[in-house]
Each structure stands twice: as structure tokens, then as C-alpha cells.
Amino acid sequence: HLVLVGNPGTGKTVVARHYSRLLFELGLVPADKCTEIDKSHLVGPYSGDAETRAREVLDAASPGVLFIDEAYTLNDPWSNIKGSGQRALEIIMKAMEDRRETLVVILAGYKKEMDDLMTVNPGLPSRIGATIEFPNYSLDELMEIARRSASKQKLNLDAGAVETLNQILGGLLSKPDFGN
């Protein structure tokens, strides 16, 4: 089981897909399947939906890899009672142990929010093999991506475009909620 943390656009989903395939090719999971979900697949409008939906998702994902994007949304911190997200997380945690031979769970999201999620249940961190942090791209890396994207479209960025793009991206990089 794995946690991937970082801002949007840093490659967490792509890495989860490749990791899933690698696990299968190494014989560590019996199926070449990566089921991608978010909280909406686990929590419904009615009390008790979380348990039913979580079990359905787990059955559909196993054998294989279950990738939960924005997993931090399963944390229900606004209440002193356990919310639907936390109930779904408990069922997933049990499956992480019970289905160890057939299911790998990958949780992904923003670093701070995922750190908070890891404190929701004391058993969660012990089930996670590793946490991988995905840093934001540097200005140089973003400029190279822009150049390559333009080139693929048979476009050339002139000096003015490069300067403007540098200014825009440089300003965006300083924002805490920057998405790559």
C-alpha cells in the first residue's frame, strides 16, 4: 500500500497507473487492473451507503490496485462523530489487511491534508508501506514542458512569448495552491 502526495499535475495518477502495472508484472497482484475512484464512489446520500459502496468498490477492484484520488476528503474533521468518509475508510483499511494477497491500495492527495488523514485512525499509517512526495515542477521544467507542447503542435515560442510565459509561471509558482 502506498500514499502519493503533492499538488495537482505532479504525476501522482500516472505513477499510480504505472505502479499498478509493475505490481502485476512482478506477480505481486494477480490482475492487471487499476480501479480509480474518489470519495463520490464511496459516500452516498443515505446513512449506511458508505459501508455498502466501499464493499462494492473493493469487490470491483480486487484483485488489482485501488487508487483513491483526493483520499483526504474521506476525513470528516468537522464533527466529533464518525462521518461517512471515515466509515468507508475503516472498511478499506480492513480490506488492506484481509485482501493483502490480492489488493493494493494507493491513496493520493495534497501533502498537508494527507498528513491529517493519516491521523484519523491509528491503524492507517501501519498499513502504508511508503509515502512518496511529488514536488512541484520548477520554472525551468515548466518552460521545457511548454516548449515541447508548442513543438508538438508545430508552434514556435518567440522571445516575447517566452518572457511572458516566464513571468506568468513565475508568479503562479509562488502561490501555495499552485497546480502544475
Side-chain angles (χ1 to χ4, degrees):
H1 308 300
L2 187 62
V3 172
L4 307 177
V5 298
N7 283 340
T10 52
K12 298 180 301 292
T13 302
V14 171
V15 167
R17 291 173 185 154
H18 286 296
Y19 184 66
S20 175
R21 159 112 336 139
L22 180 63
L23 291 173
F24 170 71
E25 290 176 359
L26 292 172
L28 298 173
V29 291
D32 185 12
K33 177 174 59 174
C34 183
T35 304
E36 299 177 28
I37 66 162
D38 60 26
K39 182 179 180 176
S40 70
H41 294 89
L42 296 167
V43 175
Y46 304 108
S47 178
D49 274 358
E51 291 88 350
T52 302
R53 286 180 177 214
R55 286 187 181 93
E56 289 171 353
V57 163
L58 289 164
D59 288 342
S62 184
V65 172
L66 175 61
F67 174 66
I68 306 174
D69 200 10
E70 299 178 1
Y72 58 86
T73 60
L74 296 173
N75 187 1
D76 302 314
W78 57 85
S79 174
N80 60 357
I81 60 168
K82 212 174 288 181
S84 297
Q86 289 177 356
R87 287 194 302 274
L89 184 61
E90 286 177 350
I91 291 167
I92 291 165
M93 285 174 47
K94 180 157 175 32
M96 290 167 78
E97 192 63 36
D98 294 350
R99 300 182 188 204
R100 181 173 291 277
E101 302 299 319
T102 61
L103 180 70
V104 171
V105 175
I106 302 173
L107 306 171
Y110 296 105
K111 179 165 179 26
K112 181 194 174 306
E113 288 81 353
M114 291 302 292
D115 288 346
D116 291 345
L117 178 68
M118 291 297 115
T119 67
V120 167
N121 185 304
L124 184 57
S126 68
R127 287 174 170 79
I128 303 299
T131 297
I132 300 172
E133 188 169 347
F134 290 69
N136 286 332
Y137 290 108
S138 69
L139 181 56
D140 289 341
E141 290 168 327
L142 289 171
M143 290 303 297
E144 182 60 25
I145 291 168
R147 282 186 197 92
R148 289 182 186 192
S149 294
S151 178
K152 280 183 184 178
Q153 297 177 41
K154 299 189 183 346
L155 299 172
N156 291 318
L157 299 176
D158 67 14
V162 169
E163 183 181 334
T164 301
L165 196 51
N166 260 306
Q167 289 174 355
I168 292 170
L169 292 174
L172 292 173
L173 277 170
S174 64
K175 295 184 178 185
D177 60 348
F178 174 70
N180 295 267

